[in-house]
Amino acid sequence: MLNLLLSFLVACTPADAPVTTTPPAVPVPPPVDDAKVNEVLAKLTADDLAVKAEALREFPTVTVDEVKRWKSRSPKAAPKFINTRTSVHAEVVTDMADNVTAVLVQWGYVADDWLFFEEAIIATGDFRATVTFNNPRRDNGSGKIWEYANLVLKEVSDPALFFPGLTLPAVTAEKMTAPAKVTIRFEGREFYKDYEMKPWEKDSIKAGLVLAKEPPTREDALAALSIPESTAPTTP
């Protein structure tokens, strides 16, 4: 009799009847120790400042502008004047307390005839990149001409923050520090001139890249502690 009842119940149950299941438990992340996060952030910041202080030593030649209250710093091997010789290297601007406010890559072309360059090609190995300049400056005297432009070296993660003719992305500048041959082609209106970067110029850009890095953030500290940013509450 019992078997007949069970058979009847099975036969009357729809084949597509929903099956009730218990959803899996969502793991709850452990609470974030803000004191520990702040401790790690302080350590990252101290390390960052130490590395940048060492990088700043690559720019020992200092020119002080007492009126505008800032300093211009150049590598020891940099041309004394913009019209001395062709060069592509980094320069640093700081406030009077030596806090870096800008890292520039200076592109200077010196010759006996005009080139009127408005862009340059960076070539090393299989890498090629074209950079443009916003109104390069030009002058002449004593039988020489000189043309030059500056680009601000920046860590550009958001394309909206990259301004052609004004900024040089760090990812492009890194290619200019390659141990292999790096050629800079100054593209003029009718002609071009190739220039091979010197080791000291590469070193200056390498140091400039360090100085241009953004300081550590809370997100960096969380990453160092292997805490997903999405699960970490923000300290009010």
Side-chain angles (χ1 to χ4, degrees):
M1 187 67 181
L2 179 60
N3 291 336
L4 289 174
L5 179 61
L6 290 174
S7 300
F8 175 77
L9 293 174
V10 170
C12 294
T13 302
D16 57 350
V19 178
T20 303
T21 59
T22 304
V26 177
V28 178
V32 176
D33 186 343
D34 276 335
K36 184 64 176 178
V37 173
N38 292 336
E39 178 186 340
V40 171
L41 180 56
K43 176 67 165 56
L44 292 176
T45 300
D47 291 345
D48 179 68
L49 291 173
V51 170
K52 288 179 177 177
E54 185 63 28
L56 194 60
R57 296 167 67 90
E58 289 287 331
F59 306 90
T61 304
V62 182
T63 302
V64 180
D65 189 324
E66 293 286 357
V67 174
K68 294 184 177 180
R69 305 294 293 168
W70 55 261
K71 301 177 183 179
S72 175
R73 294 175 173 269
S74 305
K76 183 178 181 180
K80 186 174 182 180
F81 302 107
I82 192 64
N83 62 347
T84 301
R85 64 181 186 275
T86 299
S87 179
V88 179
H89 64 273
E91 303 239 342
V92 178
V93 179
T94 70
D95 60 20
M96 299 300 280
D98 295 329
N99 299 303
V100 175
T101 57
V103 178
L104 309 174
V105 175
Q106 186 177 92
W107 313 68
Y109 174 74
V110 180
D112 55 8
D113 201 1
W114 297 107
L115 190 60
F116 295 105
F117 78 84
E118 293 184 354
E119 64 180 30
I121 300 174
I122 303 166
T124 179
D126 294 329
F127 176 81
R128 300 291 184 275
T130 299
V131 295
T132 58
F133 306 99
N134 187 16
N135 298 322
R137 302 180 68 178
R138 301 177 174 91
D139 208 339
N140 67 94
S142 303
K144 294 191 299 185
I145 64 91
W146 52 97
E147 309 175 34
Y148 61 98
N150 292 322
L151 295 179
V152 179
L153 181 56
K154 291 187 72 66
E155 275 194 316
V156 182
S157 56
D158 182 353
L161 300 177
F162 171 63
F163 301 96
L166 297 175
T167 55
L168 179 68
V171 291
T172 302
E174 286 173 0
K175 299 295 185 180
M176 300 170 68
T177 68
K181 177 181 177 181
V182 178
T183 300
I184 304 297
R185 172 167 292 183
F186 291 93
E187 286 277 10
R189 293 177 184 173
E190 297 183 25
F191 308 100
Y192 65 83
K193 186 69 174 180
D194 288 348
Y195 174 76
E196 183 177 346
M197 290 188 68
K198 308 294 189 296
W200 72 265
E201 293 171 317
K202 296 179 183 182
D203 289 342
S204 74
I205 293 178
K206 193 178 298 184
L209 284 164
V210 173
L211 295 170
K213 285 182 69 67
E214 294 294 330
T217 63
R218 175 180 168 84
E219 287 69 32
D220 297 319
L222 292 170
L225 290 169
S226 299
I227 301 174
E229 181 183 346
S230 58
T231 64
T234 303
T235 303

